[in-house]
Every structure is written in C-alpha cells, then in structure tokens.
Amino acid sequence: MASAAAAGAPPGPAAPKSRKSVTGTRRTVAALFLLPALVLLGALVVYPIGYSVVRSFYNASGDGFAGFDNYKALFTDDGIRTALKNNVIWVVFAPTVSTALGLIFAVLTERVRWGTAFKLVVFMPMAISMLAAGIIFRLVYDQDPDKGVANAVWVGVHDTFAQSSAFPKAHPGRQSPLKADGGGFITSAPVHAGQPVTLPLVGVAPEQMPDSAKKAVAVKAEPGKITGTTWQDFTRGKGVGRLGAPDPSELGYAGMRIEAVKDGKVVASAEAAGDGTFTLPASADGALLRLPASNFKEPYNGVDWLGPALVTPAVIGSYVWMWAGFAMVLIAAGLAGVPRELLEAARVDGANEWQVFRKVTVPLLAPVLAVVVVTLMINVLKVFDLVYIIAPGSSQDDANVLALELYRKGFAEGQPGIASAIAVFLLLLVIPLMLFNVRRLRREVRR
C-alpha cells in the first residue's frame, strides 16, 4: 500500500535553476543580439583601422617594409605640412566661431515669439549635404560680381563710396593729339587760351558709356580760357564720320577729368560735361592737358575670395554657415535646463543683462559648450568635402587639409603607405577628443 500511495502521489516541485545558469543564458541571448552589430563593427571599423596601421609601415607598392618613413613624411612633405597648418587653423577658429554664434542665437531668440522660426531657418543648412553646400558656396564666392553673391554685395558697397571709371578701355585713336603718360594720356604740345582743344579717344563700347553721356559738340573758343571737347571719336560703318571732329552720333566722355600740367604740377583741372565739353581758366595757358590714370582704372571686381590668401577663411565661413545651427540647438537645449531663479536673483541683485549672460548663463552652460566645441573639433579634423569642392585647382594646395591630403596621396599620387600614415595620425588626434566627450556625457548622466 505504501508503494501504491507513493505511486499515486503528485510529483514534487522542480529544483530551482542556479543563478550561474540564468546569468549564462542571459549573456548568451545578449551576445546573439549583439553579434550582427559586432560583425558590422569589426568589418567596417576594426578591420580598416588595423589594416591602415599595418599598411602605414609599408612602401607604396606594399612589397617592402618602410618602417617609420611614412610617418616621417608627415613632417617633411610640403603638402602635408601645409595641411597640418590649415588643420590647426580649422580646429581653432571653426568650432569657436560656430559655438559663439550658436550661443548668441540661442540666447537672443529665447524671449522672442519668432525665435522658433529663426532657429529653424538657422538649423536648415544642416539638412543640406556637404556636397550641395560646397557647390552653393563655390557660386557664392565666384569672382564675377554678376554670379557671385559675395562679390556682388562687396562691389555694390565699394562703388557706393568709390565709383569705378566708366572708361577703362579708352585710348587715343588715329591722328590723336594725345600720347601715353603713366596709365593716362597727355597732349603732345601745350595749349593756349582762345584756341579750342580736341581730345578724341576710342575703345569704349556704346552700351558702356555713362548714362549722363550726351551727343558730343564742338566747343567754341572763349577769350582768356582754355575750352575743349573729349569724346568717343568713332562712328560705326565704313567711311562714316570724320576723324578729329565730333559727329552727330558720337557721345561725349561725361565726367572725364582733365588736368592742366606745368613743370610737372597741376595748375588747373576740370570735369567734362555730358557732351564732353570742358573749360579751364587762364592759368592753364601754355600747359599740357593730361587725362589722369584715374579715368581709365579697371572697374572694381571685388575680392578674390578663393585666391591663395583667403581660400581657407572662405571655406571655414561655409562650414560655420552649416554648423552654427547645430551648436545653437544643443546650446538652446542646455539653456532650457538653466534654473530661472538664478537668473532672476542676479537681476534682483542689480546685474545688467550682459553681466547675467557673462557671469551666470555662460558658466552654467560651460559643460554644454565644452561638448559642442569638442564635437565640432572632431568633425573639423575630418573635413574634406567642402575643401575639395569649394577650393579651385589653383588654390587647392593652399586650402589643403589632412583629410584631403589623405585622398590625394592615396588615390591621385599613388602613395597608399603615406595615406595610411595620415589616417592613423588623424585617428590619434581624434581619440583624445572622443574620450573627453564620452567622459563629459557620463558625468552628465550621473547628475
């Protein structure tokens, strides 16, 4: 009976699993979930880094061991040295300016109704690829003011205060009494009072004549004065018009400056009227008449933004245009977490807005500002697209950066060993900045 009762009794509870087996199972499941990501990480990050480190110790063909020769080239090759210098400029100025603008935008737009719309507009360039931004700014910096926005504005401002000459191509024609004189022109013989003077020129297209130009007229003599006419002595059509005398279709050089010169000194001057006529006082009797070089200077064509001197600041400007919005958004998020009572307490204590900003807002935002600056530094060290697209071939050597030099050494010059050394060097520069950012983020999480 005991055995029967034992046989009919329900089975007892199963023995609990050990903690070690549960922990092992969880780790196995976690590893299986992480495995695809780890495979991708190894294939796309770890393997290329390891291969680049190994390749940096071999020569261009990859057959011979070069030791540290490729790394020595980082400090002896002129192109790489220029790239290093430009990278220093980029790291110092691009993150600083972008962060400063982001801070200003975030603070100034905090209290206005349209602040959100403004932030959206400033952040919009982040939606544009580096390639598209480079093409946009290549056009913005175009030397031709009719194409480049930057030079269109610059030339407009310049010409507002210093109007360019309307006669840059003018020069004496056949049978002209004028001869060249240091960029301008001067009469071959002295002039005398009571005798009209003709100063004919050619070389200005009719559509380029000043709006104030009128039909040229032959001036009449005046006793005790020097009178004359300066005009475009050219009429279209073969055999049409007379040389040395104004014709009905010919225009006067309105605004042309005329100087009377004696013994190298200007004794009188005048400006031609719309019909090209001018009058000089009796003191000009016996003088040579000179059309100074200022009449013929080339029109102001703006700044050579993409020339050797300005190409790096110009490209940095395009980078700031793209990334100031990124800095603004992060700083605005940090600003939203600043305790308002601290700002109000400072104002109650008598601090003005500048003091509140400098002594309260900025110190409280210091952790956020540090993260933004370091993040932009990492990004700047890898900049390639903007420099490659914006800088023209004639200035690309002057705008060179390490990432661009890596590309040129590896694909254009056939020196993969040196290119790998540059890649490793860039990695070594980026790692400390990445570690700094990671530590900052961990501290923020702990708080």
Side-chain angles (χ1 to χ4, degrees), residues 148-168:
V149 175
N151 267 342
V153 174
W154 197 266
V155 169
V157 173
H158 175 274
D159 287 352
T160 301
F161 300 97
Q163 184 65 39
S164 299
S165 169
F167 319 111

Side-chain angles (χ1 to χ4, degrees), residues 8-274:
K17 294 183 179 179
S18 65
R19 290 183 179 180
K20 290 184 178 181
S21 61
V22 173
T23 303
T25 302
R26 288 179 178 176
R27 287 180 179 175
T28 302
V29 173
L32 290 174
F33 276 106
L34 289 174
L35 185 60
L38 292 174
V39 171
L40 287 175
L41 184 67
L44 301 179
V45 178
V46 178
Y47 173 74
I49 291 175
Y51 181 80
S52 296
V53 171
V54 173
R55 189 66 181 82
S56 67
F57 290 102
Y58 284 83
N59 58 16
S61 63
D63 298 331
F65 185 74
F68 288 94
D69 290 346
N70 293 327
Y71 289 94
K72 291 179 182 178
L74 298 180
F75 305 99
T76 57
D77 185 276
D78 290 337
I80 300 177
R81 290 168 63 182
T82 301
L84 278 170
K85 181 192 71 175
N86 287 337
N87 263 101
V88 171
I89 295 173
W90 271 87
V91 168
V92 171
F93 289 101
T96 304
V97 176
S98 299
T99 305
L101 286 177
L103 176 61
I104 293 171
F105 292 154
V107 172
L108 293 183
T109 58
E110 190 183 23
R111 299 183 181 180
V112 295
R113 291 183 179 179
W114 44 267
T116 303
F118 178 82
K119 290 176 182 177
L120 177 64
V121 171
V122 175
F123 188 73
M124 278 180 65
M126 284 295 299
I128 302 174
S129 68
M130 285 282 196
L131 172 64
I135 294 173
I136 290 170
F137 274 88
R138 182 65 181 267
L139 294 174
V140 167
Y141 292 132
D142 195 287
Q143 182 67 41
D144 187 353
D146 294 331
K147 298 179 182 178
V149 175
N151 267 342
V153 174
W154 197 266
V155 169
V157 173
H158 175 274
D159 287 352
T160 301
F161 300 97
Q163 184 65 39
S164 299
S165 169
F167 319 111
K169 303 296 183 183
H171 59 276
R174 293 177 293 163
Q175 302 177 17
S176 174
L178 295 167
K179 62 180 181 180
D181 178 63
F185 305 100
I186 195 168
T187 56
S188 302
V191 297
H192 299 284
Q195 298 178 2
V197 181
T198 57
L199 301 177
L201 295 167
V202 296
V204 181
E207 62 272 11
Q208 294 179 346
M209 292 291 285
D211 295 336
S212 57
K214 300 177 181 178
K215 291 183 179 180
V217 297
V219 72
K220 296 180 180 179
E222 293 186 25
K225 295 182 179 180
I226 305 293
T227 57
T229 304
T230 177
W231 79 101
Q232 173 83 352
D233 190 20
F234 178 79
T235 301
R236 288 180 175 175
K238 187 175 181 181
V240 179
R242 300 166 296 162
L243 285 176
D247 292 310
S249 62
E250 295 173 351
L251 299 176
Y253 280 131
M256 179 74 76
R257 183 174 176 79
I258 300 98
E259 297 175 345
V261 181
K262 285 185 179 179
D263 300 324
K265 296 181 179 180
V266 177
V267 296
S269 63
E271 191 172 284

Side-chain angles (χ1 to χ4, degrees), residues 24 103 245 281 327 372 379:
L103 176 61
V372 172
N379 186 268

Side-chain angles (χ1 to χ4, degrees), residues 86 89-90 93-94 97-98 141 311-321:
N86 287 337
I89 295 173
W90 271 87
F93 289 101
V97 176
S98 299
Y141 292 132
V311 63
T312 294
V315 180
I316 290 176
S318 65
Y319 179 89
V320 170
W321 175 77

